[in-house]
């Protein structure tokens, strides 16, 4: 086996971890600052410097799909890039990999038996703001040497601040990094991040500057009302949200140009059967080559409308936490709504976050004023989202 390559320069988080001499090392940072990759590289070198000691190094994330798509993928990418990967050392069924006589273990906290399992020497909590305080306590109690934490500071209020960062603890190192601290970013990525300045002040604060988010109850505090969709905007897709008596059925058409998103309301009406919806769509004389994404919890309705051949309707793919992720993708654009979209404008003005019993804003939206917004979200989740190392960016 070769030793890890000695590179002349790494992203700032790599040095933050290497130089940390406290039990807990917290890396707060903006998007693409290189936190996760840097931590994993430092852990590989840690294993090399402690050859044959049988140390357990646990890498954890909230869910297993997120773990596989982020830190686990990056870890094995590092090994392969450095010619360190040996399939004989990889127990894929148990999520273990032996490197230099030490064990790397990959777990998610949706596996309680793993959280309360064996002791470990080093713990890396990837995207730690996804974890509960209880998750952290259970894992930290079983960690004998070092805990490394990374996260994007999108929450204004979080136990990470009150219990770790702001708690005046003498066992905590705290570091902030931004995309400017990552020497490996392409100029196109830098340009995309810096566009957030123009899109949303709070998103720029969190993902650009690596600073804590500032809570605002209204989810979309700013958007533009326009006369019509400009000619240079490209059609993206239709979004359809089903309703009937209490809730309306909504149909929107979404366009995009650079980071501008354009929304045009085509249907907002209660009491419509599937046949009524098909008839309404037929009256619009839309281009059936353009995809339409609808609420996947209504497969029967989607199939019935599809068979009527009036629109290219498909179920929207929705994963865990899809509402929050969809909102995040929407907020990474300048939002423009046509002035005829009166119901959509009303919803965007009134769509708000839930407040908890202490009157603090949570990251869950109130289930109201969200019918056209859900339709737009389906389009964003299925057409405008790509993932790099588990972080979501607009395409």
């Amino acid at each position: 086996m070769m030793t890890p390559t000695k590179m002349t320069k790494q992203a700032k988080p790599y040095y933050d971890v290497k130089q940390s001499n406290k039990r807990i090392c917290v890396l707060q940072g903006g998007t693409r600052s290189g936190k996760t990759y840097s931590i994993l590289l430092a852990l590989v070198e840690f294993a090399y410097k402690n050859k044959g000691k049988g140390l357990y190094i646990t890498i954890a994330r909230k869910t297993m799909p997120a773990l596989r798509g982020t830190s686990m993928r990056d870890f094995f990418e590092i090994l392969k890039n450095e010619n360190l990967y040996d399939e004989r050392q990889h127990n894929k069924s148990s999520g273990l990999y032996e490197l230099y006589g030490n064990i790397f273990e990959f777990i998610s906290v949706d596996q309680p038996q793993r959280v309360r399992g064996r002791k470990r020497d080093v713990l890396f909590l990837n995207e730690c703001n996804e974890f509960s305080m209880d998750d952290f306590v259970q894992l930290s109690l079983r960690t004998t040497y070092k805990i490394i934490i990374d996260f994007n500071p999108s929450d204004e209020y979080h136990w990470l601040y009150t219990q770790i960062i702001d708690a005046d603890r003498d066992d905590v190192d705290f570091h902030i990094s931004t995309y400017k601290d990552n020497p490996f970013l392409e100029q196109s990525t830098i340009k995309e991040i810096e566009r957030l300045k123009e899109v949303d002040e709070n998103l720029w604060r969190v993902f650009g500057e690596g600073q804590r988010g500032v809570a605002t109850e209204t989810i979309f505090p700013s958007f533009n009302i326009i006369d019509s969709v400009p000619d240079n905007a490209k059609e993206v897709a239709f979004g359809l949200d089903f309703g009937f008596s209490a809730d309306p059925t909504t149909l929107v058409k979404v366009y995009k140009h650079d980071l501008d998103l354009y929304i045009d309301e085509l249907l907002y009406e209660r009491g419509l059967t599937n046949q009524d919806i098909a008839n309404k769509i037929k009256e619009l004389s839309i281009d059936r080559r353009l995809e339409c994404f609808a609420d996947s919890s209504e497969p029967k309705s989607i199939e019935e409308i599809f068979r009527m051949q009036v629109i290219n309707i498909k179920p929207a793919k929705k994963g865990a936490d899809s509402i929050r992720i969809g909102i995040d993708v929407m907020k990474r654009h300048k939002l423009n709504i046509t002035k005829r979209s009166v119901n959509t404008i009303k919803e965007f003005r009134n769509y708000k976050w839930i407040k908890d019993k202490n009157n603090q804003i949570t990251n869950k939206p109130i289930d109201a004023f969200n019918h056209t917004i859900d339709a737009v979200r389906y389009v964003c989740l299925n057409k405008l989202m790509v993932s790099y190392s588990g972080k979501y960016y607009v395409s």
Side-chain angles (χ1 to χ4, degrees), residues 138-377:
Q138 294 296 330
L139 288 164
S140 63
L141 288 175
R142 292 167 174 81
T143 303
T144 60
Y145 172 56
K146 186 83 173 179
I147 299 172
I148 304 170
I149 289 169
D150 78 350
F151 71 107
N152 291 122
S154 53
D155 302 295
E156 183 177 21
Y157 304 101
H158 199 277
W159 63 263
L160 264 173
Y161 305 140
T162 57
Q163 303 299 317
I164 305 293
I165 298 170
D166 299 335
D168 195 28
R169 296 176 56 154
D170 59 9
D171 63 344
V172 175
D173 275 328
F174 176 65
H175 306 275
I176 296 177
S177 59
T178 75
Y179 68 98
K180 294 180 180 180
D181 296 311
N182 186 348
F184 304 109
L185 289 185
E186 296 180 355
Q187 190 58 40
S188 58
T189 302
I190 294 172
K191 185 177 179 181
E192 180 181 315
I193 294 170
E194 291 182 342
R195 278 179 173 174
L196 292 175
K197 294 179 187 177
E198 306 169 12
V199 175
D200 187 292
E201 181 180 348
N202 199 47
L203 281 179
W204 167 246
R205 177 179 174 82
V206 173
F207 294 105
E209 299 179 316
Q211 300 297 323
R212 295 183 195 180
V214 177
T216 174
E217 185 178 0
T218 302
I219 296 175
F220 298 103
S222 62
F223 57 87
N224 300 319
I225 299 174
I226 58 175
D227 290 334
S228 59
V229 176
D231 293 336
N232 61 355
K234 181 182 178 181
E235 296 175 329
V236 178
F238 297 101
L240 190 150
D241 191 51
F242 293 103
F244 189 67
S245 54
D247 298 330
T249 294
T250 63
L251 178 69
V252 298
K253 189 174 183 180
V254 178
Y255 304 75
K256 184 175 182 289
H257 178 68
D258 291 334
L259 278 186
D260 279 275
L261 208 63
Y262 299 92
I263 301 164
D264 191 30
E265 177 186 314
L266 303 178
L267 178 64
Y268 193 100
E269 192 171 337
R270 292 174 175 82
L272 298 181
T273 64
N274 290 336
Q275 183 64 62
D276 294 332
I277 295 170
N279 292 339
K280 293 282 185 180
I281 293 173
K282 189 174 182 179
E283 292 171 5
L284 295 170
S285 300
I286 66 170
D287 184 352
R288 287 174 51 200
R289 292 172 296 181
L290 193 64
E291 294 172 300
C292 174
F293 294 97
D295 187 353
S296 58
S297 66
E298 296 271 359
K300 182 179 179 182
S301 295
I302 291 171
E303 182 62 24
E304 286 183 0
I305 294 172
F306 178 78
R307 292 183 183 185
M308 295 176 195
Q309 299 184 350
V310 294
I311 195 168
N312 183 16
I313 189 170
K314 301 177 179 180
K317 295 178 181 178
K318 298 188 294 183
D321 209 16
S322 63
I323 294 177
R324 185 187 61 79
I325 293 172
I327 291 172
D328 181 54
V329 175
M330 291 169 68
K331 286 172 71 67
R332 289 171 181 248
H333 295 81
K334 290 181 181 178
L335 298 174
N336 305 273
I337 305 173
T338 58
K339 65 181 182 182
R340 72 174 185 172
S341 305
V342 292
N343 300 291
T344 303
I345 293 169
K346 180 180 179 181
E347 288 195 358
F348 272 81
R349 283 175 173 164
N350 290 278
Y351 194 43
K352 297 181 179 180
W353 299 112
I354 294 172
K355 288 186 176 182
D356 64 19
K357 63 181 180 180
N358 297 316
N359 206 37
Q360 301 296 338
I361 295 170
T362 70
N363 63 355
K364 294 182 179 180
I366 297 172
D367 187 16
F369 297 103
N370 57 355
H371 311 296
T372 57
I373 289 173
D374 282 351
V376 175
R377 186 167 55 81

Side-chain angles (χ1 to χ4, degrees), residues 36-37 40 43-44 57-61 63-80 85 90-97 104-108 111 114 124 126-127 150 389-391:
T36 302
Y37 198 93
L40 293 169
L43 289 176
V44 169
I57 302 166
T58 298
I59 299 166
R61 190 150 181 191
T63 68
M64 183 53 68
L67 180 67
R68 289 195 186 101
T70 54
S71 48
M72 184 182 290
R73 182 185 61 190
D74 287 349
F75 174 78
F76 289 110
E77 179 182 310
I78 290 171
L79 296 190
K80 290 172 183 176
Y85 181 74
H90 191 182
N91 188 329
K92 296 179 182 180
S93 62
S94 61
L96 301 178
Y97 187 87
F104 282 80
E105 174 190 38
F106 294 86
I107 68 170
S108 60
Q111 301 172 298
R114 302 291 292 276
F124 169 31
N126 183 213
E127 299 295 344
D150 78 350
S389 297
K391 306 294 192 299

